[in-house]
Amino acid sequence: MKLMQFKVMTFDVVGTLIDFESGVLNAVRALGGEKAAKATDDEIFEPYKRGRDKFYGRSSFAMKDVYLSLANEVGLRNDNATAEAFQLAVLRWPAFADSIEALARLRKNFRLVAMTNADRTAFSAYSDTLGNPFHDSVTCDETGCAKPNPQFFAFNKGRQTAFGFKQSEILHVAQSQYHDIGVASELGYTTCWIERRQGQQGFGGTPEPKAVTKPDFHFSSLKQLADAVDAELAGTVATATAA
């Protein structure tokens, strides 16, 4: 199987392109007080995930409640001003160091489509952070649901079909086994796992899947994916020159 056989790359955004784990950790430690500054990653991520489960609404509004849930559970600063500051910080989560350059390279050869559980407001902020690389985008506002719900994928499949692309021409690229790789594989998509936490224990700020699904392609960074595409292209050029 070759990467260049695909015409569309669909991307999970938060966790794959946007480093939400660093964003969460930095904001909690900066805002939550002395106890937060000393907390381990897991001491922050576990109550964060429980809070997100309780407050699963639009990310541009619900994250202040997620923070208050975390703060009340762990005993951190829990006033409304701190929660509002955490909410604002969510819109400023950083891109991974390789995301912008790799997406710019991939855009030269593929239609890039964002498939994100973020709402349209939050996605607009993330897209701007990434340099607005996408040809198309689908958020939870349009689908009315969030991944791993198969209806999210069904919505995008219909949308891309309207633009003339078949499911077999789509490569789904994501970090989350729970939200993306498992369900996409079950639905018959070719998948590319960007294992951002390779070499680290646990699943960090992402829910743990029931099982780890073997993807069709597997890289630890987006740069590696872009490099693999470039290597295929170089091989094609070399073959054509030799012929």
Side-chain angles (χ1 to χ4, degrees), residues 10-220:
T10 53
F11 290 87
D12 170 57
V13 176
V14 177
T16 304
L17 310 176
I18 295 292
D19 186 2
F20 88 100
E21 291 193 343
S22 292
V24 168
L25 294 173
N26 291 340
V28 169
R29 287 169 176 152
L31 297 169
E34 184 177 351
K35 186 175 181 180
K38 298 177 180 178
T40 66
D41 291 2
D42 285 343
E43 287 172 343
I44 293 172
F45 283 144
E46 293 308 312
Y48 166 81
K49 288 186 285 189
R50 288 190 286 272
R52 191 64 174 122
D53 283 343
K54 287 191 289 185
F55 300 101
Y56 52 82
R58 300 177 74 242
S59 51
S60 62
F61 291 96
M63 298 302 277
K64 59 183 179 291
D65 292 320
V66 174
Y67 174 79
L68 287 172
S69 174
L70 181 160
N72 289 329
E73 179 180 335
V74 180
L76 308 183
R77 188 177 293 146
N78 63 350
D79 57 279
N80 285 334
T82 301
E84 292 287 352
F86 181 84
Q87 177 67 77
L88 182 60
V90 168
L91 301 179
R92 296 174 176 171
W93 283 342
F96 284 101
D98 65 342
S99 292
I100 296 173
E101 188 272 341
L103 286 168
R105 281 197 281 156
L106 293 170
R107 183 183 167 90
K108 295 176 183 179
N109 296 290
F110 303 93
R111 173 179 171 85
L112 305 188
V113 179
M115 288 179 60
T116 178
N117 284 350
D119 59 54
R120 180 58 59 177
T121 299
F123 170 70
S124 295
Y126 302 147
S127 183
D128 182 71
T129 295
L130 294 165
N132 295 310
F134 301 105
H135 297 89
D136 194 17
S137 58
V138 175
T139 77
C140 68
D141 285 343
E142 291 80 53
T143 63
C145 64
K147 298 172 295 179
N149 190 326
Q151 289 302 313
F152 198 110
F153 287 84
F155 183 97
N156 185 63
K157 179 180 177 181
R159 185 177 177 90
Q160 301 313 314
T161 298
F163 285 104
F165 298 100
K166 303 173 184 177
Q167 179 174 331
S168 60
E169 296 173 321
I170 297 174
L171 176 66
H172 187 57
V173 183
Q175 174 272 151
S176 176
Q177 282 275 337
Y178 176 86
H179 295 103
D180 290 272
I181 300 300
V183 63
S185 296
E186 289 176 3
L187 294 171
Y189 286 89
T190 305
T191 58
C192 176
W193 184 22
I194 305 299
E195 190 182 359
R196 290 291 190 181
R197 290 183 59 83
Q198 190 172 81
Q200 301 180 62
Q201 290 191 347
F203 291 87
T206 303
E208 183 174 350
K210 293 181 180 179
V212 174
T213 300
K214 183 178 180 180
D216 299 284
F217 297 94
H218 186 184
F219 304 100
S220 64

